Amino acid sequence: MIRNKSQAIRTALIFFFSITSVVIVTWFAPSLSAASLNMLFRLRGASNAPADIVIVAIDDHSLQRVGQWPWPRSVMASALDKLTQAQPRAVGLDVVYAEPSTPEDDRRLAAAIARNGRVILPAQLYETVPGAVATGATGLTTAWLRPLPEFANAAKAVGHAHVSPEVDGMVRGIQLSKADDRADRLWAFSLEVVRVAENIAADDVEEGAGLLRFGAYRIPVRDEATSSTIPGVTIVRQNEMMINFVGPAGSFRRYSIADLIEGRVAPSAFAGKIALIGAVAESMGDTRVAPFMHYSAGQSQGGQEMPGVEIHANIINTIRGRLSFRALPDWMAFVAALAVILLSALTIRWFDGWRQIALLGLILLSIIIGSFFAFSHYLIVPPLPAMLTGFAAVIPLLLNRSLTASRELDLKLAALVSSQKGFLSAAEVGQDGILSHDQSRLDLPRSLAWKLRAVDDLTTRLLARMGFINRILSSMDEGVLVADLEGRIVFANREAMRLFGCEQTELIGTSFADFLIKRGAIDQLKLREAVKDAADGRSSQLECSITRPEPRYYSLLLSALDANVDAAIDPELTAAGRRVGVVALISDITKRVELDRMKTETLQLVSHELRTPLTSIRGLTDVLIKFPVASDEAHEMLGTIRSEAARLGEMINRYLDLTRLESGAQPLRLTQMNCQQLIAGCVRSLSSFAAERRITLSSQVSPATLALRADAQLLTQAVNNLLGNAIKYSPPETEVVVAAELNHANVMISVRDQGFGIPEEARERIFEKFYRLERDTTSGVVGAGLGLPLVKEIVERHGGRIMFESEPTTGSTFTIHLPLQPQALSVAGR
Ligand code: ADP
């Protein structure tokens, strides 16, 4: 609010300044208008002088031929006579004959003037001191210096030839009427020439405001008032007409007067034309500065002042050609300037960058081109200085805008700093003072160097912060996935990428729910519901498993991601409005799930498997204690108790072995071992059991398999289990063969029996814990259904696999495939 106010004040001040400068330039700096007129003349260039206005020049050539000026008047008389013969329309003799010379010469000239009948003579103003010298400088008055009455009477008209220059010494206008201090008024010499040439009656003149009607001509004039040096007196330049100069000096056709006198000019050169006789020789001093002075195209004309007679020629041409310029009234100049100011101000306000510059350039160009057209085509003197001043004066608005933008940048920087405060320590912020925002400062922007330093500093801090957050996210054990409100993944930390085994590029942009459904075993409905809940601001948790490369279990915690918009800053924004996405925290819960599974299994073991032998032991001991039992029977019963206890012990041991392995509590102790020795040991330890069941036990070991890197104890346990099973589940008088051979980089240990085999329907299940064939649970063969799961676990821990083939009639063959060098993965365990 305060900022807007100060900005409005600044804008108003700039407007005020612009308008004031326009007024100053228009009213108090006329030289600027003069300079702009010169520029316009230069732009327009010279045009062709009309052929019917010619100058009879008293030039240097004539002075050489006739002699020093002043000449005897008879010379001029003969020149006039020559002209008279050619019958020109009018003759302007721009020489003031105010004093008498020899009576004879005067008479001849008067006669020549009278003979011609269309001669116009000039009168000049001169300054006189009417009273005593004591009146001082202020006592000067002006009076007409007229031609001698005999000449004046002979002439057709007398006009004033007083051409007064403007403030810059340049002649741009002529007063079409002028009076001396005695209010004796004369029309301009040139106007009289035109009047005579066009036969306009002396009284056919009418003066109006800003307009002088003269015959059929309507000449725009202005009455200009300038204060004089005399206090309280204003000099009024009446009927001022602006001269439209044809070009630089020498533009009009000139004939040397000597040539005329000597008959070297054909009379046709003057017939029906306006002839002006006047001095052009430099030495005669009758020259003035005219607008084309410095800008003429011809090199020779450069810097040459214009002879008075040619100025008269230009005036005559301006009147006859109706070429006089019209100056716009001041109010129009102000309106034009105001339009420029408004247009430029709006351009600055509404546009930026190159558009702004281009439009401002366009405005400037239109001012200049428009002014030029007004000048050259419509003969209007444009208010060029006023418009240019308006344009230039509004430029501070640009500065004002950049100041405002700069200040705004300061505020933004300060806001950024304050948003960092929660993160950066107070000491850090205050240290260099750059980022501490001082509210008490004036409403002026800080320096560019400060801004650069602040941005630099903030960037460093933000980068450090980003790096810090990145490090946190990438060193987390949990996977983090962030999805936007459309459900597309927008961020994944390193762990998440590792979990799903894919790169960031694969993850970003894919649908969060679809991705999880594709990669992990998850309830679609539950997931979609959870995502929706999270987007609504309710956190929810669900579990999923990912089966690659081995089954692992994960918990998925979904919660809403809010934009960090401070409620205090924008209370309008509701919680839902601030929501920008959903964050999923994925933690590995495999261990917990495994533990749960183990607990369930233990419960199962205790409740089913252990209970059976225990019940039987308890029942038998109860009978033995409570009842008198015959010694044979008692012995048999004790035998059963013993075997049940042994079964119980074995079951517990096996289960513990398996659990230890599965939980990773028992690491592999890999050693370089001899396979042949291992098998020999197994055969040895089971030979009595085999003999007991009348089974032949033999081994076939290839010597190439001698070296194997494995956990000797566990591998022995595995082979023993397989051998034990083969013996257990074979009828007497059969053979069990254990063989070992090398197959590529694998060692294959196989145990082949000629037993009962494994039926088709049980093949899938025999590696499950506690699973036993129906046939064997009832047959009384001791077993717990934990042998094959243990073998499988041991083999897989070594990076190998177990396979079997079985026919109900011919027996089964279990084969262990072991890599010669177990993979690091299996060594490390889970
Ligand atoms: P157990 O302690 O019962 O032997 P195992 O896990 O070692 O447990 O074996 C599971 C079941 O697979 C056995 O109960 C048996 O029914 C069947 N089995 C295992 N080995 C053989 C074999 N060589 N021939 C026939 N059946 C077998």
Side-chain angles (χ1 to χ4, degrees), residues 791-808:
V791 175
K792 186 170 185 265
E793 185 66 28
I794 291 171
V795 171
E796 283 180 354
R797 289 289 305 274
H798 279 83
R801 60 210 158 92
I802 179 156
M803 296 156 102
F804 74 94
E805 291 165 10
S806 185
E807 291 288 334

Side-chain angles (χ1 to χ4, degrees), residues 654 725-726 728-729 753 757-758 766 771-773 775-776 782-789 812 814:
R654 286 256 175 103
N725 279 357
K728 276 197 290 185
Y729 305 114
D753 62 45
I758 295 153
I766 57 161
Y771 179 77
R772 301 195 70 200
L773 290 181
R775 174 192 73 202
D776 301 316
V782 176
L786 288 169
L788 286 181
S812 321
F814 283 82

Side-chain angles (χ1 to χ4, degrees), residues 672-676 703-709 742 747 820-821:
Q672 202 69 29
M673 49 168 287
N674 191 315
C675 193
Q676 207 167 11
T705 58
L706 286 179
L708 173 67
R709 203 171 149 71
L742 194 67
V747 174
L820 275 175
Q821 295 292 326

Side-chain angles (χ1 to χ4, degrees), residues 692-709:
E692 207 176 287
R693 296 191 59 108
R694 286 184 281 135
I695 293 210
T696 320
L697 196 57
S698 64
S699 65
Q700 297 169 356
V701 180
S702 148
T705 58
L706 286 179
L708 173 67
R709 203 171 149 71

Side-chain angles (χ1 to χ4, degrees), residues 149-328:
E150 50 191 302
F151 298 142
N153 293 336
K156 181 87 174 174
V158 174
H160 85 79
H162 191 88
V163 180
S164 39
E166 288 188 0
V167 278
D168 57 348
M170 200 172 271
V171 173
R172 287 194 192 79
I174 172 80
Q175 275 181 263
L176 291 179
S177 67
K178 204 166 170 66
D180 65 1
D181 284 353
R182 288 187 298 260
D184 184 2
R185 198 163 87 137
L186 283 178
W187 292 106
F189 173 74
S190 321
L191 191 85
E192 291 290 6
V193 173
V194 176
R195 191 171 68 77
V196 172
E198 311 262 332
N199 295 320
I200 297 167
D203 55 358
D204 195 6
V205 178
E206 199 180 316
E207 286 174 88
L211 200 80
L212 182 79
R213 191 189 62 73
F214 162 67
Y217 298 107
R218 286 163 195 284
I219 309 166
V221 288
R222 59 178 180 181
D223 296 331
E224 203 173 79
T226 40
S227 57
S228 81
T229 45
I230 310 163
V233 174
T234 310
I235 299 169
V236 179
R237 291 171 64 136
Q238 252 186 341
N239 290 332
E240 172 104 358
M241 179 194 83
M242 293 187 72
I243 308 168
N244 193 338
F245 285 91
V246 159
S251 294
F252 284 87
R253 182 82 181 89
R254 279 186 195 178
Y255 296 99
S256 175
I257 193 166
D259 289 348
L260 174 73
I261 297 165
E262 289 164 12
R264 276 200 294 275
V265 186
S268 60
F270 307 103
K273 296 182 180 175
I274 294 172
L276 296 171
I277 307 172
V280 301
E282 293 273 343
S283 54
M284 295 176 74
D286 182 22
T287 53
R288 294 288 154 86
V289 184
F292 274 103
M293 160 112 180
H294 295 291
Y295 312 118
S296 70
Q299 298 295 318
S300 58
Q301 303 291 344
Q304 195 176 319
E305 293 186 0
M306 191 175 275
V309 67
E310 192 157 359
I311 291 179
H312 290 305
N314 273 301
I315 298 169
I316 292 166
N317 180 46
T318 306
I319 296 173
R320 292 179 75 226
R322 297 174 167 86
L323 295 172
S324 161
F325 291 113
R326 256 172 306 135
L328 288 181

Side-chain angles (χ1 to χ4, degrees), residues 11 14-15 18 22 336-352 355-367 386-399 401:
T11 311
I14 289 166
F15 270 109
S18 315
V22 168
L338 206 67
V340 170
I341 289 173
L342 282 176
L343 221 63
S344 317
L346 290 178
T347 303
I348 291 169
R349 177 81 188 78
W350 283 338
F351 296 93
D352 260 325
R355 278 195 189 83
Q356 189 182 61
I357 292 171
L359 277 173
L360 286 176
L362 206 70
I363 292 174
L364 188 63
L365 213 68
S366 341
I367 293 174
M387 289 193 288
L388 286 179
T389 312
F391 180 78
V394 95
I395 296 301
L397 268 184
L398 259 184
L399 187 73
R401 254 201 106 184

Side-chain angles (χ1 to χ4, degrees), residues 285-573:
D286 182 22
T287 53
R288 294 288 154 86
V289 184
F292 274 103
M293 160 112 180
H294 295 291
Y295 312 118
S296 70
Q299 298 295 318
S300 58
Q301 303 291 344
Q304 195 176 319
E305 293 186 0
M306 191 175 275
V309 67
E310 192 157 359
I311 291 179
H312 290 305
N314 273 301
I315 298 169
I316 292 166
N317 180 46
T318 306
I319 296 173
R320 292 179 75 226
R322 297 174 167 86
L323 295 172
S324 161
F325 291 113
R326 256 172 306 135
L328 288 181
D330 283 349
W331 70 264
M332 269 199 186
F334 288 136
V335 167
L338 206 67
V340 170
I341 289 173
L342 282 176
L343 221 63
S344 317
L346 290 178
T347 303
I348 291 169
R349 177 81 188 78
W350 283 338
F351 296 93
D352 260 325
W354 67 267
R355 278 195 189 83
Q356 189 182 61
I357 292 171
L359 277 173
L360 286 176
L362 206 70
I363 292 174
L364 188 63
L365 213 68
S366 341
I367 293 174
I368 292 171
I369 293 178
S371 298
F372 174 71
F373 268 94
F375 180 79
S376 59
H377 284 71
Y378 301 105
L379 302 173
I380 289 169
V381 179
L384 194 54
M387 289 193 288
L388 286 179
T389 312
F391 180 78
V394 95
I395 296 301
L397 268 184
L398 259 184
L399 187 73
N400 182 35
R401 254 201 106 184
S402 75
L403 279 180
T404 315
S406 185
R407 178 77 191 141
E408 222 131 82
L409 200 67
D410 284 357
L411 292 175
K412 292 255 153 70
L413 278 172
L416 246 176
V417 171
S418 76
S419 76
Q420 297 293 303
K421 271 188 184 143
F423 181 75
L424 304 169
S425 69
E428 229 180 321
V429 174
Q431 236 170 27
D432 44 17
I434 278 193
L435 299 178
S436 52
H437 186 65
D438 183 3
Q439 289 297 334
S440 62
R441 287 181 86 248
L442 271 174
D443 195 21
L444 282 175
R446 288 171 187 260
S447 73
L448 200 62
W450 180 90
K451 283 192 207 10
L452 282 176
R453 261 187 303 152
V455 168
D456 210 38
D457 208 70
L458 266 172
T459 315
T460 319
R461 279 158 199 257
L462 282 173
L463 282 178
R465 179 180 187 175
M466 273 168 66
F468 181 68
I469 293 170
N470 261 342
R471 275 198 301 282
I472 294 177
L473 282 169
S474 56
S475 54
M476 270 169 80
D477 276 344
E478 281 84 11
V480 178
L481 282 183
V482 180
D484 59 15
L485 285 178
E486 273 83 53
R488 280 188 307 263
I489 298 174
V490 291
F491 173 82
N493 74 343
R494 198 191 296 168
E495 182 60 18
M497 290 186 270
R498 201 192 63 74
L499 278 181
F500 297 108
C502 48
E503 291 297 309
Q504 180 119 14
T505 44
E506 290 176 63
L507 273 170
I508 304 299
T510 49
S511 160
F512 175 69
D514 290 351
F515 180 79
L516 280 177
I517 290 162
K518 206 166 71 189
R519 295 293 175 124
I522 194 162
D523 190 327
Q524 284 200 33
L525 221 73
K526 269 193 191 159
L527 176 68
R528 293 197 194 279
E529 216 161 85
V531 172
K532 205 173 152 298
D533 279 358
D536 287 345
R538 293 187 298 276
S539 300
S540 56
Q541 189 165 18
L542 67 168
E543 288 180 8
C544 74
S545 67
I546 300 169
T547 42
R548 259 185 16 162
E550 53 200 18
R552 301 202 60 85
Y553 302 91
Y554 297 95
S555 111
L556 218 66
L557 180 68
L558 296 175
S559 39
L561 177 68
D562 286 348
N564 187 20
V565 177
D566 198 341
I569 293 175
D570 196 351
E572 298 282 300
L573 218 55

